[in-house]
Amino acid sequence: MTTLPRVTGEAVARIEARDKVTGAASYAADHPLDGLTHAWPVTATVARGDITAVDDSEALRDPAVLAVLTHANAPRLADAGDPMVAVLRSPHVAHHGQIVALAVAETLEAARAAAGAVRVTYDEQPHDVVLTADRPGLYTPDEVNAGHPADRRRGDFDAAYAASEITVDAVYEVTPLHNHPMEPHAATAVWDGDALTVFDSNQGSTVVRSTLAALFEVDEADVRVVSEHVGGGFGSKGTPRPHVALAALAAKAVGRPVRLALPRNRIAAVTGHRAPTIQRVRLGADADGHIDALAHETVTQTSTLTEFVEQASVSSRMMYASPHSLTTHRVARLDVPSPSWMRAPGECPGMFALESAMDELASACGLDPVELRIRNEPPVEPDSGRPFSSRHLVDCLREGARRFGWHDRDPRPAVGRDGPLLIGSGVAASTYPVWVFPSHAEAYAGSDGRYEVRVNATDIGTGARTVLTQIAADALGVPLDLVRVSIGRGDLPAGSVAGGSSGTASWGWPVHKACTDLRQRVSDAGGHVPDGGLFVRADTEQEAGGGTEYSRHAFGAQFAEVQVDTVTGEVRVRRMLGVFAAGHILNPRTARSQFIGGMTMGLGMALTEGSFLDPEFGDFTERDLASYHVAACADVPEIDVHWIDEDDPHLNPMGSKGIGEIGIVGAAAALANAVHHATGMRVRRLPIHPDTILLGL
Amino acid sequence: MDFLRPASWEEALAAKAEHPTAVPIAGGTDVMVEINFDHRRPDVLLDLNRIGELHDWEVGEDTVRLGASVSYTRIIENLRSVLPGLATASHTVASPQIRNRGGVGGNLGCASPAGDAHPALLASGCEVEVASVRGTRMIPIDEFYVGVKRNALAPDELIRAIHLPRADGPQQFSKVGTRNAMVIAVCAFGIALHPSTRTVRTGIGSAAPTPIRAKAAEEFLAAALEEGGFWDNGKIIPPAVARQFAELVSGAANPIDDVRGSASYRRHALGVMARRTLGWTWDEYRGNERSARCA
């Protein structure tokens, strides 16, 4: 028997790359259908109230307009247990921008004009949309996102903090942030009797399918969801969002296929966003920088529709040795759009706060920030006492420091000068937990020597399709081009959501299992696949469904160098370096893009992305890409990425940790710390604006 | 919405006369954004894309006649030596795709105070050639901007071309944004030295209801340059003069606080840009003088 070289670990090009760049790849709004109609949403112009009347007479005057659907006339959806998709069910308006009606017409233009002509009257009620750290109504949730307890206490924080030689006490703020994937939330829906087909942009069509079945009270088997290509999500497509329910509802109402692509400027209000956080961090340490007391207290907001609590304090429970620890979350239920997942929810804003505070502690102790982190390396995970399955933070810090030239710098702040520019560098640690969810897969060997693998994974631009093909080829022991992997359809074996950096592990595991099993069957058959082929099924309900005796996280170290213009206050990034330890990297090419993408998004969070909820109207002022500034190419300098290969036997058969989110974690803190090193100024509120810098210099 | 596609300039003028509320569209880089954002819904769109001569330019002895639809890309590629200020400003317009479509006529038609071309146009002292079925007239740029997003065009008029004096000295443009590209200016500044008349002209963007000149700053600087014999001796401008010029530029602005920046930041940034661009242009002028003398 010959052994082929492994293809996992190889820089395999994206399988669908050619389809994507030539436009052959069909996204949710690309599917032509006979009799297709178009929909356009009408959104609430008040932040709280009840609809008293809808005047659609003007809108319906155009014969091209088929319907104006509202809570009063739309087919009533069943309760699927998710308020995000409970569309057009009630006259109540819970937030500005909520979809209150949907115009459906023969053309997109007619639908849009009709939506603009609908007159909605409200019984407007006073709204409450302003988050402050001391406002009334803050409460302790039962749990925060990802199922963590809201509060954890270890030891006696107050006493230990009071007794500490060196203390840091600072408040960090992050504004609301918006996901804004390149492809907007879009769906095309068509009914055939009680059977529904939906082309939808989402991060997991298995859940979309079950949710639609529940909403319309039909069999799951009669719901077909196709999501073969998805143009990004960053969490905002992690569960079914209103567009898919509305498209299916409208298709039912008008008896024809309906396409709905949410306009860019409506996305912020109805598809989720990163909730703002106000985080107080207190660190108490001895003069050598050993942390004795650590408190991380987060105040955030949720909507009146859902309870989503950004778990910003959670990473402080496991990052550093901290004998006395207090980590809490308080949340206000406001008349605001519902927050949801955005790339590394919890860790991303939380590590901005913790890693900024660590930099402040390093300054207070007169210690190198890399050394401070190394000194506080915990022997076991502090919160649970479990051992880490693998933890190479120190290696990432050391390797990063070496590659970055960290130790060549003058540690004093505000001394690096290049004419009117102040130059500084910063470091921050990064972490992201290892998630894995049960999934199913099928593998089929044809008598022609070809293989087919089926799993309902979703490739949101990550390269999932490619990596799964690599995993399958290795497990089968055959060349890559003999394997075809089908993903992105609700009728495929159930796959978990493309979220929590869990996709490769969750889908790859049953693929590996099925393919390993199939390889054995082929071998048992004497190496010849009989006519009719061989077929196996696998799932990981057992393996991935239970707990683990290990604390499993990926780690990383982020380094950044900035220049601050003392005359204009502009901050520009000169270079960034990320070094990560995330198990085995299965495809360096797509992995590198994931890391760089995350770091770029962190650059945006630090310097350009910010959103403001207008207290007067309760809506976001930055609703489109002209005002919500994601970093442009010209803002992004050289970004260098390296990784340390980890051999961790406690993960999955591929030995991989997720990499989709860790790149954003810590990036903003590294940049803010670099701004401090450059200027001597601490900026604790993101994004860092030139105005703020100028006032402080 | 009616969509009119005249095949010739005469047809376009006739259409505009018949539909005075028609919104002209050429590159569409402003109009389409406004339509997409629902900021306006014109009854009639007047498409000027079939009119080839709007894309032409002529470089004369003293002036450049720039067709209203000449794209920013073409300006950058072809007119840098004769219109350096406008070419520099054109570089900062949006993205390559937008620069391939958009032209100065659109900037003038929309007359947004944030339009990137305005400071350079004001600093150059150009004239705008506008036409209607009633005839053609030239509007000096100083009289062109009359209010927030309003210009001096009559309802039946269209912008045919811009007549810009060929640069007789160094010109510069500077812009501050919250990111490095594809951004609406927080504020912008243009300067042109005119050695032949021993004058200086300026333009300020995004810091007042309309694009404006900093006239007091121009007059102060011209007087200071004259008094010190700087045009002839080519000496370095004293820092005190540059500072005073910068302060007068700041003072000319009438900015507001908005999501892009605060009024005080805008004033500060204008002063910085005024000082910097003056330094750049003066260095270039001195360099040119020196090489001219050596030759």
Side-chain angles (χ1 to χ4, degrees):
Chain A
M1 188 177 145
T2 57
T3 311
L4 287 164
R6 295 174 63 83
V7 286
T8 51
E10 292 299 311
V12 176
R14 211 173 279 256
I15 286 167
E16 72 283 11
R18 190 184 166 79
D19 284 349
K20 282 187 172 170
V21 298
T22 56
S26 288
Y27 291 79
D30 289 340
H31 296 268
L33 289 171
D34 286 339
L36 182 68
T37 68
H38 302 264
W40 195 276
V42 179
T43 53
T45 53
V46 302
R48 182 187 166 92
D50 289 288
I51 299 166
T52 52
V54 179
D55 177 3
D56 58 8
S57 53
E58 179 68 28
L60 290 172
R61 199 161 294 164
D62 181 349
V65 177
L66 302 170
V68 173
L69 299 173
T70 68
H71 69 280
N73 65 2
R76 191 168 169 78
L77 293 173
D79 184 0
D82 180 356
M84 271 253 187
V85 290
V87 293
L88 304 182
R89 269 173 56 100
S90 151
H92 184 64
V93 173
H95 63 83
H96 197 291
Q98 178 182 321
I99 295 173
V100 294
L102 188 74
V104 188
E106 299 283 353
T107 64
L108 184 65
E109 292 77 10
R112 186 176 178 177
V118 173
R119 295 287 163 262
V120 183
T121 320
Y122 304 92
D123 170 20
E124 195 175 348
Q125 293 145 19
H127 60 257
D128 179 5
V129 298
V130 179
L131 180 71
T132 58
D134 54 357
R135 55 158 294 137
L138 289 170
Y139 69 95
T140 309
D142 289 341
E143 62 173 37
V144 296
N145 181 48
H148 297 282
D151 293 2
R152 292 285 286 170
R153 288 182 174 79
R154 259 185 296 113
D156 182 347
F157 170 80
D158 288 332
Y161 183 76
S164 292
E165 227 170 315
I166 311 271
T167 57
V168 167
D169 181 353
V171 175
Y172 304 90
E173 291 180 64
V174 181
T175 71
L177 295 170
H178 302 300
N179 309 59
H180 278 313
M182 190 72 96
E183 182 200 20
H185 296 68
T188 308
V190 56
W191 288 89
D192 179 5
D194 276 343
L196 171 65
T197 297
V198 176
F199 302 94
D200 181 45
S201 181
N202 62 61
Q203 292 175 230
S205 52
T206 298
V207 181
V208 173
R209 184 167 86 143
S210 58
T211 304
L212 288 172
L215 285 173
F216 293 95
E217 298 173 286
V218 294
D219 285 343
E220 271 194 41
D222 287 334
V223 180
R224 195 172 146 245
V225 182
V226 181
S227 313
E228 282 199 63
H229 300 287
V230 176
F234 308 113
S236 71
K237 298 172 183 172
T239 55
R241 301 290 146 125
H243 65 281
V244 68
L246 284 164
L249 183 70
K252 195 169 186 68
V254 302
R256 287 172 58 182
V258 172
R259 174 180 297 164
L260 171 62
L262 289 183
R264 178 66 65 186
N265 62 9
R266 307 296 209 281
I267 284 177
V270 297
T271 66
H273 62 280
R274 192 191 302 289
T277 47
I278 304 169
Q279 305 173 56
R280 182 181 185 196
V281 179
R282 284 175 288 168
L283 301 175
D286 65 19
D288 293 331
H290 297 109
I291 297 170
D292 193 38
L294 190 165
H296 191 156
E297 297 159 287
T298 296
V299 173
T300 185
Q301 71 191 33
T302 189
S303 73
T304 60
L305 291 176
T306 59
E307 185 186 78
F308 176 92
V309 185
E310 183 91 18
Q311 75 277 28
S313 302
V314 162
S315 38
S316 284
R317 293 174 184 166
M318 48 62 66
M319 270 310 285
Y320 299 112
S322 46
H324 303 279
S325 170
L326 169 70
T327 49
T328 67
H329 299 82
R330 298 292 175 269
V331 62
R333 206 179 265 284
L334 303 181
D335 302 312
V336 297
S338 298
S340 164
W341 299 321
M342 178 165 161
R343 207 171 198 171
E347 282 77 17
C348 174
M351 288 290 278
F352 162 64
L354 176 63
E355 290 302 294
S356 295
M358 286 297 281
D359 205 64
E360 301 206 31
L361 180 61
S363 297
C365 295
L367 263 182
D368 178 77
V370 169
E371 175 60 25
L372 174 72
R373 288 171 173 86
I374 292 172
R375 285 189 190 179
N376 286 288
E377 182 72 0
V380 293
E381 197 240 276
D383 192 46
S384 66
R386 291 179 301 176
F388 286 102
S389 68
S390 56
R391 174 171 166 129
H392 290 94
L393 172 60
V394 170
D395 303 76
C396 291
L397 286 163
R398 290 203 167 118
E399 178 65 8
R402 187 184 69 76
R403 287 179 178 272
F404 192 77
W406 176 260
H407 295 298
D408 302 338
R409 71 173 204 157
D410 185 332
R412 294 172 299 163
V415 295
R417 254 194 187 271
D418 180 1
L421 303 176
L422 291 169
I423 316 292
S425 49
V427 64
S430 178
T431 189
Y432 196 79
V434 169
W435 294 104
V436 61
F437 303 107
S439 290
H440 296 238
E442 295 167 359
Y444 171 81
S447 54
D448 60 355
R450 297 188 166 273
Y451 296 83
E452 275 191 50
V453 177
R454 293 153 47 87
V455 56
N456 192 20
T458 314
D459 193 324
I460 55 175
T462 52
R465 183 183 273 106
T466 308
V467 171
L468 291 173
T469 310
Q470 291 172 265
I471 292 169
D474 272 359
L476 290 163
V478 301
L480 204 63
D481 57 3
L482 292 182
V483 183
R484 202 181 107 89
V485 175
S486 294
I487 64 167
R489 289 206 326 266
D491 54 350
L492 292 170
S496 57
V497 67
S501 299
S502 69
T504 301
S506 302
W507 313 317
W509 198 337
V511 165
H512 187 277
K513 200 173 165 185
C515 290
T516 305
D517 188 8
L518 183 60
R519 184 183 192 174
Q520 187 59 47
R521 299 266 201 100
V522 174
S523 173
D524 291 348
H528 295 287
V529 178
D531 286 347
L534 289 168
F535 175 83
V536 299
R537 261 193 192 124
D539 70 65
T540 53
E541 296 290 346
Q542 291 300 316
E543 299 91 325
T548 157
E549 61 209 271
Y550 292 95
S551 177
R552 303 186 299 188
H553 301 262
F555 291 90
Q558 306 252 15
F559 293 81
E561 181 178 288
V562 302
Q563 63 183 47
V564 179
D565 190 317
T566 54
V567 184
T568 63
E570 291 163 293
V571 177
R572 295 292 185 248
V573 183
R574 288 160 79 107
R575 58 193 178 112
M576 291 174 83
L577 164 69
V579 178
F580 301 95
H584 291 310
I585 296 300
L586 304 182
N587 184 330
R589 186 166 172 151
T590 50
R592 195 179 151 73
S593 295
Q594 285 286 298
F595 290 131
I596 288 178
M599 291 168 73
T600 304
M601 214 162 164
L603 184 159
M605 174 186 175
L607 298 180
T608 62
E609 294 182 43
S611 183
F612 176 71
L613 200 77
D614 188 331
E616 190 75 21
F617 301 105
D619 61 341
F620 292 116
T621 51
E622 291 88 354
R623 285 192 300 269
D624 54 56
L625 295 171
S627 51
Y628 184 81
H629 289 163
V630 298
C633 286
D635 297 304
V636 182
E638 179 191 317
I639 294 185
D640 203 1
V641 174
H642 290 274
W643 48 84
I644 290 165
D645 193 59
E646 282 182 323
D647 207 3
D648 183 337
H650 309 296
L651 299 170
N652 57 56
M654 296 78 67
S656 62
K657 295 176 179 175
I659 53 170
E661 289 161 276
I662 192 168
I664 195 175
V665 180
L671 289 160
N673 294 342
V675 167
H676 171 261
H677 183 232
T679 63
M681 256 177 85
R682 286 285 173 198
V683 183
R684 301 189 181 92
R685 182 186 163 80
L686 300 182
I688 301 172
H689 274 307
D691 304 41
T692 315
I693 297 281
L694 267 192
L695 281 174
L697 280 176
Chain B
M1 187 188 296
D2 287 327
F3 189 69
L4 307 178
R5 299 201 73 197
S8 69
W9 182 239
E10 289 68 31
E11 274 186 41
L13 294 180
K16 187 65 171 145
E18 194 183 333
H19 305 279
T21 59
V23 173
I25 179 167
T29 60
D30 263 329
V31 173
M32 287 312 298
V33 171
E34 295 214 306
I35 291 174
N36 276 335
F37 283 8
D38 258 347
H39 289 169
R40 67 155 102 182
R41 184 60 62 88
D43 298 332
V44 183
L45 271 182
L46 181 61
D47 176 19
L48 302 175
N49 281 295
R50 291 170 76 192
I51 301 162
E53 59 257 47
L54 293 177
H55 294 270
D56 296 339
W57 69 87
E58 302 151 41
V59 179
E61 201 144 303
D62 300 319
T63 59
V64 178
R65 183 171 184 253
L66 182 73
S69 296
V70 175
S71 72
Y72 292 109
T73 303
R74 292 247 183 267
I75 294 170
I76 295 165
E77 286 172 353
N78 300 290
L79 297 169
R80 174 168 299 285
S81 62
V82 287
L83 303 175
L86 182 61
T88 308
S90 300
H91 256 296
T92 75
V93 176
S95 61
Q97 295 90 332
I98 299 293
R99 293 196 287 273
N100 287 339
R101 293 285 303 170
V104 175
N107 243 213
L108 287 168
C110 288
S112 156
D116 290 313
H118 304 314
L121 298 177
L122 283 165
S124 77
C126 65
E127 292 184 311
V128 184
E129 179 188 337
V130 303
S132 69
V133 289
R134 297 176 287 116
T136 294
R137 64 179 178 128
M138 303 290 273
I139 306 177
I141 193 70
D142 291 348
E143 295 163 22
F144 188 81
Y145 310 106
V146 298
V148 180
K149 297 196 173 188
R150 283 193 300 118
N151 58 33
L153 291 185
D156 63 344
E157 285 179 323
L158 292 172
I159 299 168
R160 171 63 186 84
I162 302 94
H163 295 248
L164 298 106
R166 282 178 67 147
D168 59 330
Q171 302 182 346
Q172 276 292 351
F173 173 81
S174 182
K175 166 176 165 180
V176 173
T178 47
R179 65 180 162 192
N180 271 348
M182 298 201 295
V183 70
I184 303 171
V186 172
C187 55
F189 182 74
I191 184 171
L193 304 186
H194 298 287
S196 58
T197 51
R198 300 201 163 188
T199 56
V200 176
R201 285 180 63 107
T202 60
I204 293 174
S206 274
T210 66
I212 54 167
R213 283 168 64 195
K215 286 189 184 160
E218 295 173 6
E219 283 160 17
F220 161 78
L221 184 59
L225 293 176
E226 197 61 55
E227 200 177 319
F230 289 101
W231 291 108
D232 297 317
N233 63 30
K235 283 188 180 161
I236 291 174
I237 294 178
V241 171
R243 256 199 317 273
Q244 176 73 14
F245 174 69
E247 272 170 34
L248 288 167
V249 168
S250 282
N254 182 21
I256 55 167
D257 289 319
D258 67 15
V259 291
R260 300 203 299 278
S262 64
S264 64
Y265 184 79
R266 286 189 158 102
R267 277 190 199 281
H268 173 82
L270 280 172
V272 171
M273 292 191 290
R275 195 153 40 77
R276 283 184 178 173
T277 54
L278 174 60
W280 296 334
T281 48
W282 193 253
D283 280 351
E284 190 186 338
Y285 174 73
R286 294 173 63 223
N288 293 344
E289 284 301 289
R290 208 172 300 131
S291 47
R293 256 177 269 150
C294 292

